[in-house]
Amino acid sequence: MGTVGAGFSMSLDGFIAGPNDDVQRVFAWMFKGDQDVQVSTGDEALDLKLTSEGIEQRESMEHSIGAILSGRRMFDVSGAWGGKHPLNVPIVVLTHQPPQEWVNKPGSPFTFVTDGIESAVAKAKAIAGDKNIGVGGADITRQCLKLGLLDEIGIDLVPVLLGSGVRLFEHLGIEPIELEIAGVTEDTGVTHLRYRVIK
Ligand SMILES: NC(=O)c1ccc[n+]([C@@H]2O[C@H](COP(=O)([O-])OP(=O)(O)OC[C@H]3O[C@@H](n4cnc5c(N)ncnc54)[C@H](OP(=O)(O)O)[C@@H]3O)[C@@H](O)[C@H]2O)c1
């Protein structure tokens, strides 16, 4: 059975997006490396510039992730990735109301789950098989954390104080959750931090 891990690019003051869901600054490190890497969504080709550390991280995700679990806002903000996530894996979307244009669409990578986070994680695990699940969206990451469903947290820490936007760890309302440091890698314009959640 694979792990359930959330990964975000985050400012030092804890924001994973600026105002209006703007991720330009927190993703800027992906354009500061010395090697060209092309990734594509269903409707966009992105010319990244990664360092060897960034490429290693990306290749590790490509090999290990078998399904993405997304909150409805991340799905909407990304424009449903034009119908294909950059990692080209199935995506489970947790929502109160599935978007009819994507339900039962032939070739769609999306499975919509409406009966809660535990059910969504179970569905993603069933799809991913032995591979890992990548959780995206701050709200659903917090829900996973609170219920003990998250095994790992990856933070690409960006040296900027954004001041406002979408915070990852706000209103957690939890007892302290201990983490174990699983990796620290210095990179150009970013520090890659990896944590295991101690259960
Ligand atoms: N920096 C990064 O690496 C990075 C990566 C990914 C995303 N982001 C940013 O993160 C933001 C999105 O995260 P977010 O926290 O705003 O939202 P989110 O977690 O993606 O989605 C939250 C939405 O999911 C649905 N939902 C959540 N729990 C549910 C439940 N138990 N049952 C049914 N539906 C449920 C609800 O939508 P409905 O009620 O509408 O169905 C809820 O509003 C965006 O700004 C995005 O750009 C940043």
Side-chain angles (χ1 to χ4, degrees):
M1 183 64 76
T3 58
V4 180
F8 293 94
S9 291
M10 191 173 89
S11 67
L12 184 60
D13 53 346
F15 293 99
I16 58 166
N20 304 314
D21 301 302
D22 184 358
V23 286
Q24 208 175 335
R25 178 61 190 96
V26 289
F27 284 165
W29 65 270
M30 296 181 195
F31 301 88
K32 289 183 174 164
D34 52 3
Q35 299 178 55
D36 294 321
V37 177
Q38 263 227 340
V39 299
S40 62
T41 63
D43 55 7
E44 197 181 11
L46 287 169
D47 294 314
L48 307 183
K49 282 191 121 17
L50 298 176
T51 60
S52 50
E53 287 84 2
I55 289 174
E56 198 176 308
Q57 171 165 301
R58 193 177 158 74
E59 287 178 349
S60 161
M61 285 195 304
E62 278 172 352
H63 290 131
S64 63
I65 291 184
I68 302 275
L69 172 56
S70 172
R72 176 62 187 269
R73 282 204 71 240
M74 182 167 119
F75 170 88
D76 285 342
V77 166
S78 72
W81 299 274
K84 176 180 135 333
H85 188 274
L87 292 177
N88 199 15
V89 292
I91 303 179
V92 174
V93 182
L94 182 60
T95 180
H96 292 99
Q97 247 179 340
Q100 287 312 307
E101 66 274 26
W102 285 103
V103 176
N104 299 326
K105 188 171 178 170
S108 162
F110 304 115
T111 301
F112 297 96
V113 172
T114 55
D115 55 351
I117 188 74
E118 282 160 306
S119 171
V121 170
K123 185 76 198 172
K125 280 186 173 174
I127 291 172
D130 287 342
K131 291 193 153 188
N132 297 342
I133 295 163
V135 181
D139 178 37
I140 63 163
T141 297
R142 291 192 292 268
Q143 292 185 53
C144 285
L145 254 181
K146 283 184 191 179
L147 291 170
L149 298 171
L150 207 62
D151 301 310
E152 292 177 2
I153 301 171
I155 298 294
D156 300 312
L157 192 64
V158 179
V160 64
L161 299 168
L162 276 187
S164 62
V166 178
R167 265 215 162 102
L168 181 55
F169 296 122
E170 70 176 354
H171 308 309
L172 273 178
I174 52 163
E175 293 294 309
I177 293 174
E178 292 291 338
L179 308 174
E180 180 186 4
I181 298 170
V184 179
T185 309
E186 279 301 328
D187 198 348
T188 303
V190 67
T191 308
H192 305 294
L193 305 171
R194 299 285 167 262
Y195 299 94
R196 268 187 291 275
V197 180
I198 297 176
K199 298 184 183 177

